[in-house]
Amino acid sequence: MPMNSDDHPNRSETLSNPDQDASALTINSGATMATDVRQYDWDYYRGEFQKITETYLSYTKKPDMELLTAAFHYSYAKHKDQKRKSGLPYFDHLIEVVKILVQQKMDAQTLAAAFLHDVIEDTTVTAEEIRSLFGDIILTLVDGVTKIGGIAYTSSEQSQGENYRKMFISLIKDIRVIIIKLADRLHNMRTIESLPEKKQERIAVETRDVYAPLAHRFGMARIRWELEDLVLKTLDREGYNELSRLISESRVEREKYIENVCHPILEKLSEYGVEAQIAGRPKHFFSIYNKMKKRDKPFREINDLLAIRIIVNTKADCYNALGVVHSTYKPVSERFKDYIAMPKINGYQSIHTTVVGPDGKTVEIQIRSTEMHQIAEDGIAAHWLYKEQRHKPNQFDRQLTWIKQLIEQQPEPGEFVEELKIDLYRDEIFIFTPKGDLHQLPAGATVIDFAFSIHSEVGMHCIGAKVNGRIVPLHTILANGNQVEIQVNDQQTPGRHWLDFVKTSKARTHIKRFFRNAEIEQSIALGREMLAQEMKTQNVKLSQQELQEKFEEIRKELRLETVDMVYSSVGRGNHSAKSIVLKISGPAQPQKPKTTKSLINRLIRREPHHSASIIINGLQNMMIQYASCCNPIPGDEILGYVTKGRGINIHRKDCPNIAETIQKEPDRSINAVWKVSENETFMVHIRVSGYDRKNLLNDVTHQIGILDTNITTAEMKTMGSENMIDFVLQVHSNKQLNKIIEHIRKVQGVIDVYRAEGFLLPGELAKKEIQS
């Protein structure tokens, strides 16, 4: 968009010397610069700017030289004393970033923002100054690529997550933010060798994991390929150099073969009157390197280095060209993909086919129109060129949807980067609703992912599904073209095991949030109970108003968002009830003599609820985990231990692992009793030792079966003349378990049977668990 006087009310029509205060810079694109800045290579930069403007004017329909010139001079004046790690002037970086963008035929606002993209972060310039001189649109672009400063984060992951979140929020406002950021990262990767080795590695890994996939997601193949190759060069220089040598040595032979393949295709296309350009398609190093690693094959055995691209004028010509290719060479049917009919989520369109060429070699062929090719190479940058007159073309909407969803899901700062990576770099599959609506999901997505893609409430209450008319489990992995019907029930809520198989960040975030909120509610209820009992014990009596004031003071002191978070902190074990009550009562409050009684003896018993397996001080459905060290089952005497942030662990009272801890921190011990239904079962681990003889395992399992007991896991090991058999059984109580042990002891050859500590895990994990 051209700049106008309304956008920039504080700018006049003259240009000041770039050596003066940059805040005084104003516009006059035809002004002659002073000659006293040669020490800053002004003549060189003016020449580079002239090249940039010539390229810019060659493609733009609405030039805005006034804006571009002003941004160039302003940025130069602000950065002219700065050096990069390489020792080169910092302004070199800005020139090179703008060059990358002008090659992508970007508009004046993008180029101007690229000149200015580091002034807020690396100079004394403020956001308000940018707004005053260049307007709100330029400020949005500049601020979008500026890292957050002046905030202390608890971890580098949190800092990184917040910076990505900030960039994506700006990106939603103006998609050109990501185009500038990718150009910035590309030049930084081109010049990375001047940095310390550890920093090179960190930046290269971030580029591989985030920025190259971002370029892919926005269809910017040219940027993505170079970023990936530079990552390879940085992380494995030796491998990169060797691959470069091998590709160079095979180039002549490869080009000759491709020419032999192309010649008959070109002749037939000409006969049909289809204008086409045919050429070998370069394979970038990173792709070849990954194929060698993944397939564990040497370079000479990677067959799909042979690739051809056919570029025609129209969509109809693409399908005419496909007919010519398949009539000339035998196609490999399973490797045909029509991304014209069903474009990728990043807007990519092309026909992919693989054929058997001369000498039986397979050749990859891509067929696309000129416009499709431009979009495939430059992605959203090409969209901007085709739709220059519109600030936010409709074609962008689909590419922004996943970002909007990620922001709206509001994952925790530490989880933001993880969820971003999950969504970034995956092949897509197309799934249909019974009404024919199309949904795009990552490969490997499940029924639950599809339910969440329809709506978060559908996902939260999904109870079943039909795939192509057949009822399937919720963990079923979907295939391309499936028709899926989701069944919901308002009473259904997510299970924790859903996290084991869902693939999309939307599903993961909503499921995690559900359990996080449930845990907070439970910890608040437990915290209230514990504080109420401690206040009775300490004889603290305050009015409701006084209590509210005290809790508000404590909230501020602990830097918590709400008073409920004070209760939650106690319920989670982050703060003891005693310490909070002491803050409430204050030093002047008379205290009762200390008692050696534990909290379990000080709590007032209440009538237990009847719907939970464990009752904690009369409260049901608390955050309960059965301790794997002692594996309690109904009939065992138990107690609860309030952990820090992980709810309540239920231990047997005779558990040796908890005895010393309770002695040191008696306030963490809490009353717990069993309340189970007749049908509930619990896992228990038993170990049987016996002499090595035929059918010992069969005889033992027969005795277990007599008592109608389900065996979940069994594992036997032979050690010399003895066998050791580990079982995980499903039992109702320790009474049933004792009967099972009694029966097993009667089996001939059994030496001993006893209840083992912890759960039995399959295979090697079992060995580690048993040894520990």
Side-chain angles (χ1 to χ4, degrees), residues 271-298:
E271 289 176 12
Y272 285 102
V274 177
E275 295 182 11
Q277 300 174 25
I278 305 182
R281 179 172 63 87
K283 288 273 190 176
H284 63 301
F285 289 12
F286 189 80
S287 173
I288 300 170
Y289 180 87
N290 279 344
K291 285 176 181 177
M292 291 169 63
K293 291 284 187 183
K294 186 176 180 180
R295 301 174 188 175
D296 193 24
K297 289 184 176 181

Side-chain angles (χ1 to χ4, degrees), residues 74 269 432 588 726:
Y74 183 86
L269 287 172
F432 296 91
D726 284 290

Side-chain angles (χ1 to χ4, degrees), residues 190 421 439 542 641 669 744:
R190 287 175 178 175
K421 291 177 182 178
H439 288 254
L542 296 173
Y641 178 74
S669 174
I744 294 174

Side-chain angles (χ1 to χ4, degrees), residues 547-561:
L547 268 179
Q548 288 179 355
E549 292 173 358
K550 287 289 186 181
F551 273 110
E552 182 61 25
E553 291 174 7
I554 294 168
R555 179 196 71 77
K556 291 177 180 177
E557 180 185 339
L558 299 179
R559 298 182 179 180
L560 298 173
E561 292 182 8

Side-chain angles (χ1 to χ4, degrees), residues 581-600:
V581 171
L582 285 175
K583 291 178 185 294
I584 293 172
S585 62
Q589 178 73 23
Q591 299 292 320
K592 281 192 171 186
K594 289 185 178 179
T595 176
T596 57
K597 289 184 179 180
S598 67
L599 179 62
I600 194 171

